[in-house]
């Protein structure tokens, strides 16, 4: 079946994002070997992406987009830090002092226990948290979600009505024409929302880079990134 304009826009943005990650941060392929990945309009692009995931030793498949993107971002952050060690090594990690840091009960759990894995996966599916190859990481994500989104205070705050600033769509150039004014407007809105998401993502990446020195110092977190030559 034909791809709808909004789905096609999302697919194009997704492919451009993967190419940007490879070109700017991961750089696993030589420049002359990136042609298939850069051929955004090609119907063969999904196969090229699948091959790329295999080549960088990603544990997730091409069908598991959220998980594979999360893994690729982790790899990109690791390489970004490795390329700029002098820049980031003096950044103080965002951790509590020894006097303030409580004992983490998660470190005493047996992450290889089948019942533990089944329980974590059940919670992740219920809360719509993306899968991860490390079940302790998934459990930490579940804990963060519950603490930040499901406490009485967080629920009360989320219920408060929020009004955004009005945006004049006619001042934003779409760059293409779907042939339908309503679809054009929808595409403009999607693009603006996507830009906002990218800004938020960039902020989170910057925060991750600042804290990455403390993260990579823990060998327990390194296995998820695999061993990739550059």
């Amino acid at each position: 079946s034909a791809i709808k304009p909004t789905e096609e826009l999302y697919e194009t943005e997704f492919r451009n994002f993967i190419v940007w990650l490879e070109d700017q941060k991961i750089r696993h392929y030589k420049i002359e070997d990136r042609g298939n990945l850069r051929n955004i309009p090609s119907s063969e692009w999904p196969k090229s992406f699948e091959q790329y995931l295999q080549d960088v030793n990603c544990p997730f498949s091409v069908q598991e987009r959220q998980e594979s993107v999360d893994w690729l971002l982790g790899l990109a952050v690791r390489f970004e830090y490795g390329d700029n060690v002098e820049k980031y090594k003096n950044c103080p990690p965002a951790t509590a002092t020894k006097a303030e840091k409580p004992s983490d009960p998660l470190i005493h759990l047996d992450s290889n226990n089948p019942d533990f894995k089944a329980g974590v996966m059940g919670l992740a599916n219920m809360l719509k948290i993306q899968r991860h190859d490390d079940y302790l990481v998934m459990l930490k994500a579940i804990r963060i979600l519950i603490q930040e989104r499901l406490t009485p205070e967080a629920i009360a705050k989320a219920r408060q009505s929020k009004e955004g600033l009005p945006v004049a769509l006619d001042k934003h150039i779409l760059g293409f024409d779907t042939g339908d004014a309503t679809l054009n407007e929808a595409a403009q809105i999607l693009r603006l929302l996507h830009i906002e998401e990218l800004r938020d993502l960039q902020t989170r990446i910057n925060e991750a880079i600042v804290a990455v020195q403390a993260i990579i110092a823990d060998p327990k977190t390194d296995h998820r990134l695999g061993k990739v030559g550059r």
Side-chain angles (χ1 to χ4, degrees):
S1 58
I3 299 178
K4 297 179 181 179
T6 51
E7 293 176 352
E8 187 175 3
L9 175 63
Y10 167 79
E11 181 66 22
T12 300
E13 295 288 355
F14 172 77
R15 294 182 183 188
N16 279 319
F17 170 66
I18 297 300
V19 172
W20 179 86
L21 269 183
E22 168 59 18
D23 280 346
Q24 302 296 325
K25 302 298 177 183
I26 298 176
R27 304 191 297 280
H28 179 75
Y29 289 157
K30 295 179 180 178
I31 293 177
E32 59 268 25
D33 295 333
R34 298 174 191 170
N36 290 336
L37 204 62
R38 286 174 170 175
N39 191 4
I40 302 298
S42 172
S43 59
E44 296 296 309
W45 193 90
K47 291 182 181 178
S48 300
F49 181 46
E50 183 176 20
Q51 184 61 51
Y52 178 68
L53 292 179
Q54 293 174 7
D55 290 344
V56 296
N57 296 328
C58 178
F60 299 107
S61 70
V62 70
Q63 287 81 20
E64 299 168 302
R65 281 200 168 183
Q66 286 190 338
E67 292 83 358
S68 59
V69 166
D70 175 67
W71 189 91
L72 288 172
L73 284 171
L75 187 64
V77 168
R78 184 187 186 195
F79 286 155
E80 172 70 18
Y81 177 80
D83 289 342
N84 299 277
V85 174
E86 292 301 318
K87 178 180 177 182
Y88 297 120
K89 73 176 184 180
N90 294 322
C91 295
T95 55
T97 63
K98 291 182 179 180
E100 298 171 342
K101 190 173 182 180
S103 174
D104 189 345
L106 298 185
I107 63 175
H108 302 297
L109 294 173
D110 179 9
S111 60
N112 293 317
N113 185 293
D115 292 335
F116 169 79
K117 291 182 176 181
V120 171
M121 185 60 71
L123 281 172
N125 290 336
M126 185 187 304
L127 297 172
K128 300 188 184 302
I129 290 176
Q130 66 190 51
R131 289 169 48 199
H132 192 282
D133 57 325
D134 188 327
Y135 283 80
L136 280 177
V137 170
M138 266 204 294
L139 184 58
K140 289 178 180 179
I142 291 169
R143 180 175 66 179
I144 291 171
L145 176 66
I146 291 174
Q147 289 174 338
E148 295 186 354
R149 300 289 181 86
L150 300 180
T151 60
E153 296 81 6
I155 292 173
K157 185 177 181 180
R159 285 175 177 168
Q160 295 175 356
S161 60
K162 294 182 179 179
E163 294 185 5
L165 296 174
V167 175
L169 292 179
D170 57 347
K171 293 184 179 180
H172 296 271
I173 300 173
L174 182 57
F176 62 89
D177 186 5
T178 66
D180 184 293
T182 303
L183 284 177
N184 284 347
E185 230 176 67
Q188 284 177 303
I189 293 170
L190 283 174
R191 173 161 287 181
L192 289 172
L193 290 173
H194 182 59
I195 291 172
E196 182 62 28
E197 288 178 350
L198 287 178
R199 286 173 179 165
D200 181 58
L201 175 63
Q202 184 62 56
T203 299
R204 293 174 183 270
I205 289 175
N206 291 341
E207 292 172 350
I209 289 172
V210 171
V212 77
Q213 183 179 13
I215 296 173
I216 66 170
D218 181 1
K220 293 180 182 177
T221 64
D222 282 346
H223 75 280
R224 69 182 288 270
L225 298 173
K227 184 177 180 181
V228 180
R230 301 185 78 192

